[in-house]
Amino acid sequence: MIKIDTAGARTFITDDLYKEGYDKALHAFKQVVDASGPGNNWLGWRRILKQPNDAELERISRHAEQIRDDADLFIVCGIGGSFTGAKAIIDALAPIFSHNGPEILYAGHHMGGKYLKQLLDYLKSPKSNGEPKSVYLNVISKSGSTLETALAFRAIRTWMHEFYGESAKDRIIATTGETGGVLNNIVDEEGYHKYVIPDDIGGRFSVLTPVGLLPVSVAGIDIQTLYYGAVSEYKTNENNPEKILEYATIRYILQKTGYALDVIGSFEPELAGFTGWTQQLLGESEGKEGKGLFPATAMFSTDLHSIGQMIQQGKRNMLEILFVVEKEISDLEISEASTNVDGLKYLEGKSYHDINHSAQEGTVQAHLEGGVPVIKIIIEKLNAQQIGEFIYFYELFTAVYVYMLEVNPFNQPGVENYKQAMYRLLGKK
Ligand code: PA5
């Protein structure tokens, strides 16, 4: 179960304001549960946990196992909600430098030509034993028409068809909407394997559909445990949403009283992907009608040496959310040395976990003294179960909090503006 610690933020809010916010949070929570708020046809991320589809989980796991047996490289081609969640889970749970399955690569998440060209060169280059690489491609796009993804997909699948001939179709998997969109036309024409993104689930809420589950399973992560972690957090919060209400109340009142920035950080490098996932989830959901906190990300302690100064003493309009892992992720200790020439003898025998923890607690103290409210979101252990819990916790939190702002969390009308301008410049009819 995900825990929160709001002690470092609660003191920034008067009891009267807290009460006002809490009533609003309760109302917003009911809107989510009763499906009575704006965008209530986009609540499929709750439906799939209420009635888990074990057959689909099984089907994805089996397919992923086949891919793991055969692939050297597995490319996830998508952008925004169509890749951020899978990457966050893989970064959190898969080994960092060695993998006993395929290497997972990403494409279609920007328009950098150098990256795509070098990716193609890498796919084409033989393995160290001289044999060609076995490449699989998972293109993920709910709309089936996002330009970044479509361009990378075209380049990679063209090469795959040239290189693998007929069998390319067994290596290309499309994850897209049930019907419509260019990608569905391509799937129909080429006969690629297809996974469906349910109509009632938007991109940034789709990580527990095949969008996230297939890549994560190919990376060797147990998706049943992950999924049922989310199911357990779903059940916990249906009966007792207190921590969601508390967190939503504090964040709501802070933005109402002039706070503008939410720094989402962690001292665990494994959670960097999740700071990005949360940034997207919150940013695309709340940033509408002139409302919302700007969600910034920070990786500590690295960023204490860059934006740490700003957090400590810059404009006082930010709060900070820290993703904390309680149990140690690694048992690495500071080794003994024969001399104290580096002045580090006092740390000998201490674990990296303890040192990182001291850095974290020292930073919390300093930031509180600097006038920054700090909320901790606590994961007990970094494993598939708790990452599943964390995902649902944040999906529910986002929906409740954004309903408090009285906007629809599930659309992103502003994203269209850059697309229209870009297409105009590119001469699209
Ligand atoms: O949350 C969202 O809906 C977006 O971030 C989308 O996931 C992103 O724009 C990609 O869209 P699509 O999956 O249609 O290519």
Side-chain angles (χ1 to χ4, degrees), residues 42 77-84 140-150 175-176 197 201-206 211 280-281 284-285 410-412 415 418-419:
W42 290 94
C77 183
I79 194 168
S82 285
F83 98 108
T84 314
I140 308 171
S141 177
K142 175 137 191 219
S143 62
S145 59
T146 302
L147 189 60
E148 291 88 341
T149 304
T175 306
T176 188
I197 311 172
I201 305 182
R204 58 193 171 277
F205 287 83
S206 70
V211 168
Q280 192 222 347
L281 186 62
E284 266 192 335
S285 301
F410 306 114
N411 61 5
Q412 52 284 329
V415 178
Y418 99 87
K419 289 186 187 167

Side-chain angles (χ1 to χ4, degrees), residues 85-251:
K87 185 168 188 316
I89 300 171
I90 293 168
D91 288 355
L93 298 177
I96 302 167
F97 296 112
S98 60
H99 23 83
N100 60 358
E103 186 181 353
I104 312 285
L105 298 169
Y106 300 92
H109 54 308
H110 55 61
M111 303 212 205
K114 176 180 169 186
Y115 179 93
L116 187 58
K117 167 134 193 357
Q118 292 196 4
L119 176 68
L120 287 165
D121 290 345
Y122 184 58
L123 308 184
K124 292 173 195 171
S125 67
K127 295 192 276 188
S128 54
N129 64 5
E131 287 176 10
K133 288 180 179 128
S134 169
V135 177
Y136 282 71
L137 172 63
N138 182 196
V139 58
I140 308 171
S141 177
K142 175 137 191 219
S143 62
S145 59
T146 302
L147 189 60
E148 291 88 341
T149 304
L151 286 174
F153 180 49
R154 174 197 264 226
I156 300 167
R157 82 184 183 95
T158 301
W159 170 74
M160 288 179 75
H161 278 276
E162 279 164 18
F163 190 72
Y164 295 114
E166 257 299 289
S167 70
K169 76 171 180 23
D170 302 323
R171 295 173 172 270
I172 299 176
I173 304 133
T175 306
T176 188
E178 175 90 61
T179 54
V182 179
L183 186 51
N184 266 315
N185 297 341
I186 299 175
V187 170
D188 290 344
E189 206 171 291
E190 302 286 357
Y192 299 149
H193 191 106
K194 174 178 159 179
Y195 285 97
V196 172
I197 311 172
D199 281 347
D200 57 356
I201 305 182
R204 58 193 171 277
F205 287 83
S206 70
V207 59
L208 296 173
T209 73
V211 168
L213 295 175
L214 181 67
V216 164
S217 190
V218 170
I221 294 158
D222 175 356
I223 57 168
Q224 271 85 0
T225 304
L226 177 89
Y227 198 90
Y228 274 89
V231 170
S232 77
E233 188 67 20
Y234 168 87
K235 288 182 181 156
T236 303
N237 287 292
E238 291 301 274
N239 301 324
N240 180 8
E242 241 1 85
K243 64 190 175 193
I244 297 280
L245 300 181
E246 192 183 333
Y247 179 16
T249 299
I250 292 173
R251 196 171 188 271

Side-chain angles (χ1 to χ4, degrees), residues 308-343:
Q309 172 61 36
M310 182 75 188
I311 299 172
Q312 191 66 45
Q313 295 182 329
K315 193 166 178 182
R316 298 299 71 194
N317 64 352
M318 64 185 79
L319 62 137
E320 184 172 44
I321 308 301
L322 279 184
F323 298 159
V324 172
V325 181
E326 266 178 347
K327 294 254 164 70
E328 61 182 19
I329 297 175
S330 133
D331 57 5
L332 186 67
E333 288 184 353
I334 309 299
S335 57
E336 283 183 21
S338 54
T339 70
N340 193 25
V341 67
D342 59 7

Side-chain angles (χ1 to χ4, degrees), residues 28 31-32 36-43 45 202-205 280-289 394-413:
Q31 284 183 298
V32 175
S36 57
N40 55 3
N41 50 338
W42 290 94
L43 291 166
W45 48 278
R204 58 193 171 277
F205 287 83
Q280 192 222 347
L281 186 62
L282 287 165
E284 266 192 335
S285 301
E286 71 178 305
K288 291 160 205 167
E289 302 177 23
Y394 254 103
E395 289 178 343
L396 179 61
F397 168 76
T398 300
V400 170
Y401 168 75
V402 178
Y403 273 164
M404 292 173 81
L405 300 179
E406 295 171 14
V407 294
N408 179 352
F410 306 114
N411 61 5
Q412 52 284 329

